Amino acid sequence: MQVDDFLTLLETIEKNLPKDSPAMMLKNAYKRNPYTILMVTLLSLRARDEHTAKVAAKLFNTIQTPQELLAFPVEALEETIKPLGMQKQKARTLREVSEALMERFDGEVPKNKEALLSLKGVGEKTANIVMNNAFDQGVIAVDTHVHRLCNFFGVIDTKSDKESSKILNEIIPPSYRSKLNFTLVVFGQTICTPKSQKCEICPVTHFCPKNV
Ligand code: SF4
């Protein structure tokens, strides 16, 4: 598929996204600022979006800064995170990242990707999501849905998330980069899922390789 066709496909999917999808629920679950976006991204690793949405709504409607998180009792933090699993490890990561933000960045989330990656517990995927969602920096975060669907539609032909990230960030215009991840994650969770496809409600059947 040519890049121009893929951009049209993205716009069509975006206009028709289901409002009750897990990723949409997560996006709307809490008061968002760069700090809460970073914390929720860390919480969401290896957890389902619908579970993360519930935990995030509980935790981050009141906690908005690293100071507030560090003042929150550790036991209560672990208890709140428990539905996601690995609560001790996740609580420790949230606290360590918050401490590092206080010590090295005046309590602010850095806008620079290298600085974000210097925080223990923050990897490439988390840094890309934060740069994208918190600072609108137009970096495409590639997860399993983005990798799978971009290859499925044929705009790329890659073997790994890392390779997909490199090529997508080269070929997709900056104005489309921030929406690409969210649009394809919601589409991949709800309509064109890995195990079953709801082709009867799909808004882009005319672009689908199955129908070509
Ligand atoms: S028509 Fe079906 S297989 Fe094709 S993109 Fe839509 S949901 Fe996926």
Side-chain angles (χ1 to χ4, degrees), residues 152-153 191-192 197 199 202 205 208 210:
F152 175 65
F153 288 118
I191 298 176
C192 197
Q197 294 80 44
C199 303
C202 177
T205 49
C208 180
K210 278 189 174 180

Side-chain angles (χ1 to χ4, degrees), residues 31-50:
K31 295 174 195 161
R32 295 158 63 83
N33 65 40
Y35 175 69
T36 58
I37 288 170
L38 172 57
M39 292 293 106
V40 173
T41 305
L42 290 169
L43 276 183
S44 71
L45 300 174
R46 290 179 288 283
R48 295 177 70 89
D49 280 351
E50 57 268 42

